[in-house]
Amino acid sequence: MSHTCLALLQAADPNLPPVSGMAFYLFTILKMIVIFTIYMVGIAMLTLAERKISAWIQDRHGPNRVGKGWLQPAADGLKNFMKEETMPGGVNKPLFVLAPILSFIPALTAWCVIPFGAPIPTRWGRIDLVVADLPVGFLFILALTSLGVYGIVLAGWSSNNKYALLGGLRSSAQMISYEISMGMSTIPVLLLAGNVSLNTIINQQVWGGWNVINLTVAFFIFMVAAFAETNRLPFDLPEAESELIAGYHTEYSAMKFSLFFIAEYGGMVTASALMATLFFGGWDVPFTARDNIGPYSGWLSLLSIGIMLAKMLFFIFLFMWVRWTLPRFRYDQLMSLGWKFMLPLVLVYIVLIAAVMLGLSAAGKRPGLMYASILGSINIALVIILFVIFDRGRLISPAYGRMDQREIDRLRRIDRRRILAAEAGR
Amino acid sequence: MEPHYALFYVFHFYLFGVIALASAIAFVTRKSPVAAALWLVNTMFSLAALYVMLDAQFIGVMQVLVYAGAIMVVFLFVVMLLNLGDPSELADARGKGWKFAAGLVGLGLLSEIMVILRTRLPQQLIVPRDFNEQQLQKLNAVGTIAAPLFKDYLLAFELTSVLLLVAIAGAVVLARGRPEDAR
C-alpha cells in the first residue's frame, strides 16, 4: 500500500498517455464519488461558514452550542431528515416534488466539467483531474446553469401560494436577464483562449497572464451576473423575506426545503469555481510551468488542488461578505441594471476587445508580457472611466440616495440650527 | 468498430430515441400547458443527447442552452402569467374533420420518411467515418460550426438574422395594437 502511495507521488514522464479502457471507467467513477462527497460535506460546512461569517460581521458569536458550533451542520441535517414533509392543499403534487430535485441537479452536474487540479501520474496512465473533459466544457456549464431556473419557477407555480408564485416569476425574469450578460461577459475570455474548453482557458492564462488583468471589465460584469444568477444578496429578490415571506420555497419543509438550500450553495460554489477558472488562472501553480507540461507528480497535483480551493474559498467569502454589505435592489433597479447598463456595456466591450486583439495580431504581437500589459492598461483605463466618471450619482449611489454637495451642506445647516435651537431653549 | 462499443451506442440511441418520442407524445396529449411545456423540455434534452452521440457537441449544448434554458423558460413564464382558461377551448384541432385531416398529414409525413429511408444518400452528403473527430481536432467544437457558417453560408446566415428581426418587429407592432384601439 505504501509502495503504491509513493509511486503515486513520484514525478512521472510528461508524455504519459491518459488512462484508457477499464481503468478509465473505474477512475471516472472514483472521481465522481470523491467530488460528490467533498461537495456535499463542503456545502454543509459552508452553511456553518455563512452563519459564522455573518456573526463575525455583525459582532456576535454565531452557532456555538452543538460541539462548540462545529457539529451544527450535522444537527441541521439530522433535523431536516426528521421533520415532517408538509404537502399544502391545492398543490400540483408531481411538480411540487420535482421542483427541488430540478434545482439541485444542475448545480451539482456543472461540476463534472470544471478542472480542479494538475494531472496525476499513475502506473495506468495520466489521470486528468476533471470528471469529463468535454470539448464544449464552458458552454455545458452555461447550459446547465440556465436550467436551474426551472426548479425555482416550478416551485413557485406548483405551491398554490401567491408569494411563492411572485418569487418564481421574479426569479425567471431575473435569471433570463442576467444570463445574457453572464454569457456575453465570457466571450472576451473565449476570444483570448480561442476555445471553449476550460483547460484551454487555464492554459492560456498560464502563458498570457490572468484574465482578471487582461479583461477586468468582463470580470466585473461576470461577478455581478453570478451574484444575480445564484440569487444572493443584493439580488435575492426571488426570496425577499420582507416582501414575499420566503419567496418560491415558502411552502416547502424538511428535506425538500433543504434541497433548495443545497442548490443555492451549490450554485455559489460553482460560480466561485468559474470565477477562479475563467479569470484567476484556475488550479495553475503560479510561477512554474511544471504543473502544465510535466513531469507531473502527485505532490504538485495536491498543491494545485489547494490553490484552486483557496481561490474558491476567497470568492465564497466574497459572496458572504457582500451579503452583509449591500442592501437588496429594488425590482426596477435590478432590471435597469441588467438590461440598460450591463448588456450595452458588455456588447461594446466585446467589440472593443475584439478590435484590440485584431490590431495586436496585425501588429505582429504574440500573447505574452507585452500583449497582456497592453490589454491590461486598456482595461485599467476602462475601469477608471466606468467607475469614476460614468457611475457617479447614477448606479451605485441609488443604494444610499443621490446627494450633491449643496444638499449635504443644507442638511448640515439644519443640524446646526437644531443644536442652536436646543441650546437656546435650554 | 468493437462490438461492445456498438452495443453501448445502439442502446443509448434507442434509449434517448424512445424518451424523445414518448415525451413528444405526452407533450401533445397533456391538457395542462405547464405539464406540456415540461414534456417538450424533456424531448429537447433527449434530442440534445442524440446530437452529442453524433459528435455534434456544440449543437447539443446549444439545444439545451437556447431551447430548454431560454425559450421554454420564457414560455413557462407567459403560461403562468396568463390565465388560459379551459384547455378544451384552446385546442387547435377542435372538430372531427380537423382531427382526421391532422391524422392524414401525419401519415403523409411518415410515408415520406419511409421513402427517404429507402433511397440512397447523395455522394456529397457521405463523409468518412472519422470526419467529425478530424474536424474537432482541427477546428475545436465551436469552429466546426462557425467556420462554414461564417464563410460558406454567410449570406444565408445574415438573411436568417434579418428574418428574425422582422419577426421581432412584427411582434412589437402586434403587441402595441392598432392606433384606433388606443383612442
Side-chain angles (χ1 to χ4, degrees):
Chain A
M1 187 64 210
S2 66
H3 273 286
T4 342
C5 282
L6 270 179
L8 275 178
L9 294 173
Q10 270 163 10
D13 176 23
N15 297 321
L16 205 61
V19 285
S20 56
M22 210 55 212
F24 171 76
Y25 290 108
L26 280 180
F27 278 116
T28 305
I29 291 170
L30 189 71
K31 278 187 277 190
M32 274 152 65
I33 293 171
V34 167
I35 286 185
F36 181 74
T37 315
I38 293 179
Y39 194 75
M40 296 310 279
V41 173
I43 284 173
M45 293 317 282
L46 280 186
T47 59
L48 178 69
E50 169 101 66
R51 294 174 69 181
K52 276 288 185 191
I53 289 171
S54 315
W56 173 62
I57 288 175
Q58 297 172 342
D59 200 14
R60 52 190 176 82
H61 286 298
N64 60 357
R65 293 302 146 111
V66 193
K68 296 207 181 299
W70 285 102
L71 293 179
Q72 188 66 44
D76 285 342
L78 204 61
K79 179 190 76 178
N80 273 327
F81 273 117
M82 310 285 272
K83 269 175 87 170
E84 185 194 353
E85 297 270 357
T86 52
M87 185 71 76
V91 300
N92 186 327
K93 239 181 192 173
L95 293 185
F96 188 74
V97 177
L98 193 67
I101 304 170
L102 274 186
S103 72
F104 169 65
I105 288 176
L108 184 64
T109 318
W111 257 94
C112 71
V113 292
I114 297 178
F116 54 90
I120 300 179
T122 60
R123 68 169 72 167
W124 301 278
R126 191 186 75 218
I127 301 176
D128 292 318
L129 287 187
V130 49
V131 175
D133 193 9
L134 294 185
V136 284
F138 178 67
L139 295 175
F140 179 78
I141 294 180
L142 273 189
L144 278 176
T145 47
S146 71
L147 295 177
V149 68
Y150 276 108
I152 295 177
V153 169
L154 289 180
W157 185 77
S158 64
S159 291
N160 191 28
N161 176 321
K162 59 187 170 201
Y163 296 111
L165 181 64
L166 279 175
L169 287 178
R170 276 185 177 187
S171 130
S172 58
Q174 172 180 330
M175 286 175 102
I176 290 172
S177 314
Y178 281 82
E179 215 172 77
I180 298 170
S181 311
M182 190 171 180
M184 292 276 186
S185 70
T186 53
I187 286 181
V189 177
L190 304 180
L191 281 179
L192 266 189
N195 201 337
V196 288
S197 121
L198 285 170
N199 260 326
T200 323
I201 293 169
I202 292 174
N203 255 322
Q204 175 261 320
Q205 291 179 74
V206 174
W207 313 112
W210 284 3
N211 278 337
V212 69
I213 302 163
N214 290 337
L215 306 164
T216 321
V217 179
F219 170 64
F220 274 111
I221 295 168
F222 186 85
M223 191 172 67
V224 174
F227 273 83
E229 285 285 299
T230 48
N231 292 325
R232 295 281 301 184
L233 268 166
F235 301 106
D236 69 336
L237 285 109
E239 46 187 306
E241 56 277 89
S242 52
E243 306 155 24
L244 299 180
I245 312 180
Y248 59 92
H249 55 60
T250 303
E251 297 289 354
Y252 282 88
S253 71
M255 218 41 216
K256 289 206 214 70
F257 164 75
S258 203
L259 272 183
F260 279 121
F261 216 72
I262 293 172
E264 185 188 319
Y265 277 86
M268 209 162 85
V269 172
T270 310
S272 306
L274 274 186
M275 281 193 263
T277 306
L278 294 178
F279 295 99
F280 284 78
W283 49 262
D284 175 57
V285 184
F287 310 117
T288 162
R290 220 189 110 183
D291 52 326
N292 306 104
I293 51 173
Y296 305 116
S297 79
W299 292 115
L300 210 56
S301 298
L302 270 184
L303 180 65
S304 64
I305 293 173
I307 284 173
M308 181 75 183
L309 265 182
K311 286 172 183 169
M312 278 169 60
L313 283 178
F314 169 75
F315 284 112
I316 288 169
F317 176 72
L318 186 75
F319 270 104
M320 294 172 180
W321 184 12
V322 166
R323 179 174 175 185
W324 301 109
T325 310
L326 293 177
R328 183 180 303 130
F329 275 82
R330 224 170 46 220
Y331 197 66
D332 59 324
Q333 291 174 335
L334 174 93
M335 282 294 146
S336 65
L337 178 69
W339 289 106
K340 292 185 193 160
F341 181 71
M342 284 192 5
L343 187 60
L345 175 69
V346 77
L347 286 175
V348 169
Y349 188 67
I350 290 172
V351 173
L352 193 78
I353 288 296
V356 169
M357 280 175 63
L358 206 61
L360 281 177
S361 75
K365 289 271 182 293
R366 304 284 303 158
L369 194 61
M370 192 61 195
Y371 200 93
S373 50
I374 291 173
L375 269 180
S377 44
I378 289 172
N379 271 285
I380 290 172
L382 280 180
V383 167
I384 290 172
I385 292 172
L386 265 180
F387 288 84
V388 180
I389 303 171
F390 280 171
D391 190 59
R392 178 154 291 175
R394 291 192 60 200
L395 278 162
I396 295 176
S397 36
Y400 59 79
R402 187 174 180 172
M403 266 192 200
D404 56 3
Q405 195 56 41
R406 246 180 299 161
E407 184 81 355
I408 295 170
D409 286 344
R410 195 179 62 82
L411 286 173
R412 281 198 185 127
R413 276 201 298 280
I414 290 173
D415 265 9
R416 208 178 301 136
R417 257 182 254 149
R418 252 193 223 129
I419 295 165
L420 283 175
E423 278 177 354
R426 210 180 331 117
Chain B
M1 214 182 279
E2 299 138 89
H4 71 274
Y5 175 77
L7 183 66
F8 183 81
Y9 191 89
V10 167
F11 171 74
H12 283 94
F13 174 77
Y14 281 111
L15 177 72
F16 289 118
V18 166
I19 294 176
L21 282 180
S23 311
I25 290 171
F27 160 60
V28 281
T29 51
R30 290 306 94 184
K31 295 274 188 228
S32 150
V34 172
L38 285 176
W39 281 115
L40 186 58
V41 172
N42 210 21
T43 311
M44 282 162 180
F45 260 115
S46 315
L47 289 185
L50 288 175
Y51 287 140
V52 171
M53 285 175 67
L54 291 171
D55 271 336
Q57 279 101 341
F58 183 73
I59 296 184
V61 165
M62 280 301 138
Q63 171 90 2
V64 175
L65 182 62
V66 175
Y67 285 100
I71 292 179
M72 287 316 289
V73 173
V74 177
F75 208 85
L76 266 186
F77 186 80
V78 174
V79 166
M80 287 173 186
L81 274 182
L82 298 176
N83 196 4
L84 286 176
D86 192 43
S88 60
E89 289 170 19
L90 291 166
D92 292 321
R94 277 177 220 172
K96 277 252 167 64
W98 282 108
K99 281 179 184 167
F100 186 68
L104 274 187
V105 170
L107 274 180
L109 284 174
L110 198 66
S111 52
E112 218 171 286
I113 290 173
M114 288 307 199
V115 170
I116 289 172
L117 273 180
R118 276 157 199 279
T119 53
R120 285 174 62 88
L121 274 177
Q123 200 57 45
Q124 303 97 293
L125 287 181
I126 298 174
V127 291
R129 178 158 283 184
D130 54 349
F131 179 75
N132 273 327
E133 277 161 33
Q134 280 176 13
Q135 288 287 313
L136 274 183
Q137 288 288 322
K138 209 165 67 185
L139 289 167
N140 81 46
V142 182
T144 317
I145 303 290
L149 197 60
F150 287 99
K151 283 178 186 158
D152 303 347
Y153 305 109
L154 183 63
L155 184 67
F157 177 76
E158 292 297 334
L159 284 179
T160 313
S161 63
V162 171
L163 198 66
L164 288 176
L165 190 66
V166 169
I168 293 172
V172 171
V173 169
L174 283 178
R176 287 178 67 186
R178 287 186 195 144
E180 296 95 75
D181 299 347
R183 270 186 232 129

